[in-house]
Each structure stands twice: as structure tokens, then as C-alpha cells.
Amino acid sequence: MDAGTDSQLAETTSDGNKEKFQLTENETFQVESNKRSRLKVATVCILCFFNLTYYMDRFGIAGILTAIQCDLGATDSQAGLLQTAFIIPYVIFSPVVGYLGDRYSRRLILILGIFFWSCATLTASFMPELWSFIVVRSLTGVGEACFSSLAPAIISDLYASNVRSKYLAVYYFAIPVGSGLGYIIFAEVATAADDWRWGLRVTPVFGFITVVLILLFLQDPPRGQSEGSRMKTTSWMNDLKYFATHGSYIWISIATTAGAFIAGAFGAWGPKYITLGLVTQEEQQSEDISDLLGRVSLVFGFITVVTGLMGVIFGSLMGTKLRGKYPTIDPEICGFGVLASVPLIFAMTILARGPEAPTYITFFFGQWFLNLNWALATDMLMYTIVPTRRSSAKALQILLNHVLGDAGSPYIIGLLSDAFKPLVDSGYSTKYLASPSSFLRNGTLPIEEQDCDLSPIDVTTAERDFTALQYALFIALFIQVLGAFAFIATSWTIIDDKAEVDRAAAINPIKNDRSV
């Protein structure tokens, strides 16, 4: 073989080895990329799982509320306080968590917060007195502060654009689905265990499982990774000034707070309100009241789950499909959806005194329209706020949502209901006042162990309490109208605010790095 042939063979062998090495490198990168993709999906699944658990616990209380009132002797306003008391620790910890979440390990904050939440939830179920029960339950606000402001920001740093919208939609499925499952599971477990306290012991188990999953699988991406940007953090005061002058942030916060108010009000009082309406009907007076309440909670929970899934899916799909052609479509879907739900939910409050079918049908479609905004509202917040301020932005927004929305509304509605009772009809019987839930309980404790008298049902008192609660819920509908207009107002500012975020990301790009 001559020298030329040897040289050609050597070149071919060299090229072949080079090609082989190049293929191996690509295959290695592909394996690593697939692994990162799986971890990203696992992260979203873990966050969704705990969001589902949290809302199961939050609204599951409504499924056993009358049993709690009966056992602990709570009035309507005190019962509403069960859904409101957590706001005090939340107010204290939420801004701190938002600040830390934009600067330090979000994974560690989640582990500590969810573990504390699980311990507080479990401990509360053993409290023997009303006020000790309320105080310990309120400590769940610490865990809420650690989770709710960080989870959407993590998802937003993992994914961008339409992919982010889809995963945020999955994340927000957990709110209506978890709420509905909470009504059902808490009531069923309490009935099966013959004690309402066992209903509260389901979700702590899921909380501890979440902590283990976070330790093993959760990925905490760099801030701004999904936009290809790594921006420097700014001072807390600069962040606050940014939020105070950010048009879209202000309007979205007002709108979501109004939506949270209506969700909290009907989520806490809906099952009891419908049951009161049924008690006033002659054909329902022969039915055992605990069976009636259990049936209402089951249907209420089912409607909440189904309409939550449908609303979030339809809202997210419409936003994703139309956003390219109509850049203001997201706030318009939210605004007109909330506005369309007002007459339907109003009709439900009127029809609740009559046959069940019209009540549930109007409530079904009212909830469907109301749930169109869950994923879109957070998506709008994420793409109009720069990455390094998202955790703080979400923390402050949820703080407003809770203080003025879903945490405050159950107590406010309960307080108004108690205030309206003497005004509805002074001729109503006052026998029921000595035992606020005497004709309404879940039936989870033997009658002889309670002060509750289930027989006979005081229909006159039921009529009075139904009307008083109805007047209180009417006020919530006015708040809902304000929320609809706030969403529509967001369309005036959202294009400019999104363009500002895009410009900021372009100025601070991530350098080419295959590991990102």
C-alpha cells in the first residue's frame, strides 16, 4: 500500500472517529436534556399536588362546618373566622417570603413551609376548644405564605410563553378541583370515622409526602431562565415602587381580590345556604338533616370540581389560541367571564328556596364562567412582571387576595348573616339562638354527646337564617361586578407592560450554555 493510500486511510479513520465522537456527545446531551425535562415536569406535578392538598384542606372545612359549629358551639361569625384567622400569620410572613424567594433557595423555603403547615393542620384536629382550634388552624397561614407566592414563580422560570400558560393551567386546576374534593372527602371521612376531626387529618399526610417529594425531585431554576435572561435583583423599596406604578399589576390585583372574595364567600357558605333553602321546603322536611347536608356537600363538591376543570381548560385554551391575534384577549376573557357569572350566581341565590335542579344548574354555569380566569390571571401577572420580582409580586397580590378576598369574606358574610337575623323578621322563633346549629349538623357525633337538637326541625328559624344569609351573599355579588371591570381595565395597560418585560429580558440575556 503506497503512502498516498495510507494517508487517505488515516484521514478517513480520523474523520470516522471524529464523527463517532460527535454522535456520542450529542447522545449524551440528549440524555441530559431528557432528564432535565423530566425533572421540570416532576417539579410542576409536585407543586400541583400540594396546591390540590392545600385547597382540599382550605375548603373542606365547609363540608363539616355545621358539625364543627355544633360540637364547639360556634356562631356564624365565629365559623367564618375559621376561614379567616390564618390571615394574621400570612400578613406577617408573606412579604418576607416574597423577598427571600426572589433572592435565596426557594426549595428550602418550600420544605420548611410545607412541613410547618402539615404539623399545624394535624395539631389543630386535636384542639378541644373553639378558640384553641381557631388559633392553631391560623398557623397554616405560615405554610400558605411559603408556598403560594413561590410556586407560580418557579413554574414561570421553568417554562415560557404558551407552554407556561398550559402548565399554569394545570397548576390552577388544583384550586377548584381541590376545593370540590375537600367538600366530599372531609364529609365522607368524618362520617365514616363518626368524628369530624378525622376529616382534618387527611391532608397533613399529603403534606408530609410533598416534603419528601421536594427533597428528592424538585428543581429550582435560575430566575428568568425561561426568558433567556439573568437579571440582577433590586432593593425591596424599588420593588414596591415598581408595583405601585405598574398598571397591569394594580388592575389584576383588584380583579383577583374581588374574585377571591366571591369564591371564599360561596365556598365557605354555599353548602349550608343550599341546605337551609331545602329545609324550608315542605317536601324536604321529612328527610334526615344530616343526610340532606351530606347530599348537598357531595353535589356542591362535584359541581366545583367539574366547573373548575372546564373553566380553567376553556379559559387557558382560548387565551393560548387567540393571544397572537388579539394581544388583549386574556383580560377580556377574564372580565367578561366574571361578568357573565354574576346573573347566574344571583339566580342561584334566588332559586335555592325552590327545587334543587334549577339551583344546581345556575350554580354550575356561574362557576364555569367564574373559573375562566384562574390560570389566565396568574399568566398575565407572570408575563408583565420582570422575573426577579415575580415572587414578591405574587406574594403581595395573594396577600391582598386573602386580606380583602377569600380569607376575609367568610367572616364578613358570617358577621353580616348574624347581624341580619334580628332584622329579617322579629316574629321568628328565638329558640334556635341558644344553639346556632341546632338543626344543621353533619351527624358525625352521637346526639347525646352534643347540645344539638335535630328533632323537630325549626322551619321558621331555617327560613330566617336562609334569608339573612341570602342578604349577606347579595353583597358579595356587588364585589364580583367590580372585579369584572378591573379585569377589563387591564386590557388598557397589558400590551405596554409586557413589551417592557421583553425589553428587559433582551438587555440581560443568558449566555449560550447548553446546561440551561
Side-chain angles (χ1 to χ4, degrees):
M1 186 178 292
D2 58 21
T5 305
D6 290 341
S7 175
Q8 184 179 4
L9 181 60
E11 184 179 350
T12 303
T13 304
S14 176
D15 289 344
N17 289 337
K18 183 178 180 182
E19 182 180 359
K20 182 178 179 181
F21 175 79
Q22 186 66 39
L23 288 173
T24 303
E25 183 183 10
N26 286 337
E27 289 172 354
T28 302
F29 174 73
Q30 186 63 42
V31 170
E32 292 176 353
S33 178
N34 290 339
K35 182 179 179 181
R36 286 194 297 272
S37 297
R38 288 194 295 270
L39 286 175
K40 288 164 69 173
V41 172
T43 297
V44 175
C45 291
I46 293 168
L47 297 177
C48 291
F49 176 71
F50 185 73
N51 203 30
L52 183 82
T53 299
Y54 172 75
Y55 278 95
M56 279 176 57
D57 183 79
R58 178 82 176 281
F59 287 95
I61 285 284
I64 55 175
L65 183 61
T66 50
I68 295 173
Q69 286 185 268
C70 181
D71 188 29
L72 301 181
T75 63
D76 281 354
S77 59
Q78 290 170 335
L81 194 60
L82 285 173
Q83 300 283 54
T84 303
F86 83 96
I87 201 60
I88 297 175
Y90 185 88
V91 167
I92 296 171
F93 283 91
S94 180
V96 177
V97 171
Y99 177 85
L100 295 176
D102 281 332
R103 292 159 177 83
Y104 301 103
S105 171
R106 293 177 289 195
R107 185 168 175 267
L108 178 60
I109 296 171
L110 287 174
I111 290 170
L112 295 176
I114 294 174
F115 181 79
F116 185 86
W117 177 91
S118 303
C119 292
T121 306
L122 181 62
T123 303
S125 69
F126 294 96
M127 294 297 103
E129 303 294 335
L130 174 64
W131 288 106
S132 62
F133 179 65
I134 291 176
V135 169
V136 177
R137 279 285 298 182
S138 73
L139 296 178
T140 60
V142 177
E144 156 77 348
C146 293
F147 175 78
S148 59
S149 58
L150 301 186
I154 291 174
I155 295 174
S156 296
D157 287 332
L158 289 171
Y159 300 101
S161 190
N162 289 341
V163 179
R164 173 196 292 162
S165 300
K166 292 174 183 177
Y167 278 108
L168 283 174
V170 173
Y171 175 78
Y172 280 101
F173 283 159
I175 296 179
V177 173
S179 302
L181 289 176
Y183 297 129
I184 298 169
I185 293 174
F186 274 41
E188 293 300 316
V189 171
T191 301
D194 202 31
D195 186 349
W196 61 265
R197 295 177 185 275
W198 280 100
L200 299 175
R201 294 166 186 165
V202 176
T203 51
V205 176
F206 296 156
F208 291 126
I209 292 173
T210 303
V211 171
V212 175
L213 292 175
I214 291 174
L215 283 168
L216 295 176
F217 303 112
L218 187 128
Q219 183 180 14
D220 185 4
R223 281 77 171 169
Q225 173 182 289
S226 61
E227 285 94 350
S229 173
R230 284 180 179 168
M231 304 172 63
K232 294 181 179 180
T233 57
T234 54
S235 69
W236 179 244
M237 289 305 301
N238 284 338
D239 290 351
L240 292 179
K241 291 177 184 177
Y242 175 82
F243 301 143
T245 58
H246 194 286
S248 296
Y249 182 75
I250 293 171
W251 287 120
I252 294 170
S253 298
I254 293 172
T256 54
T257 299
F261 189 95
I262 193 77
F266 280 90
W269 294 106
K272 180 174 181 177
Y273 178 74
I274 295 173
T275 305
L276 282 168
L278 294 175
V279 169
T280 64
Q281 301 172 40
E282 183 176 351
E283 63 270 20
Q284 300 289 348
Q285 292 172 16
S286 60
E287 185 174 354
D288 183 84
I289 196 64
S290 61
D291 293 340
L292 181 60
L293 181 60
R295 176 162 57 83
V296 169
S297 295
L298 183 64
V299 176
F300 195 90
F302 176 78
I303 290 174
T304 303
V305 170
V306 174
T307 57
L309 287 170
M310 293 174 60
V312 172
I313 290 173
F314 273 81
S316 182
L317 286 178
M318 284 191 291
T320 301
K321 296 294 184 183
L322 300 175
R323 194 177 296 149
K325 189 174 182 180
Y326 305 102
T328 61
I329 194 65
D330 287 349
E332 290 167 358
I333 291 172
C334 295
F336 288 110
V338 173
L339 198 60
S341 71
V342 173
L344 290 165
I345 295 180
F346 175 78
M348 184 276 283
T349 61
I350 299 298
L351 295 172
R353 202 191 298 263
E356 291 182 74
T359 302
Y360 291 135
I361 290 172
T362 51
F363 180 65
F364 180 94
F365 287 102
Q367 284 288 99
W368 183 5
F369 282 112
L370 189 62
N371 286 326
L372 290 175
N373 74 82
W374 279 117
L376 291 179
T378 297
D379 201 11
M380 287 188 289
L381 182 71
M382 293 297 115
Y383 67 63
T384 58
I385 298 291
V386 294
T388 53
R389 288 168 168 160
R390 283 173 180 162
S391 292
S392 295
K394 191 61 180 175
L396 290 177
Q397 186 187 82
I398 295 177
L399 178 61
L400 290 173
N401 292 170
H402 285 333
V403 173
L404 303 177
D406 58 354
S409 60
Y411 177 69
I412 292 171
I413 297 301
L415 196 66
L416 290 172
S417 176
D418 284 341
F420 284 139
K421 285 175 184 177
L423 304 176
V424 171
D425 189 344
S426 59
Y428 280 158
S429 169
T430 60
K431 182 180 81 170
Y432 175 70
L433 291 177
S435 180
S437 300
S438 59
F439 72 98
L440 265 181
R441 71 180 184 92
N442 192 273
T444 57
L445 294 177
I447 295 175
E448 61 270 15
E449 293 182 19
Q450 307 184 54
D451 294 328
C452 300
D453 180 17
L454 297 183
S455 181
I457 297 174
D458 189 346
V459 178
T460 303
T461 299
E463 184 80 30
R464 180 203 64 186
D465 288 0
F466 174 85
T467 305
L469 190 53
Q470 183 183 64
Y471 291 167
L473 291 173
F474 282 163
I475 295 174
L477 294 175
F478 286 104
I479 305 296
Q480 189 174 357
V481 174
L482 295 177
F485 285 109
F487 269 129
I488 294 172
T490 308
S491 63
W492 306 338
T493 60
I494 196 167
I495 295 177
D496 292 338
D497 290 334
K498 185 179 185 303
E500 182 182 344
V501 173
D502 293 339
R503 285 194 298 269
I507 295 172
N508 301 275
I510 292 179
K511 295 180 180 180
N512 186 23
D513 183 358
R514 302 184 83 175
S515 67
V516 175

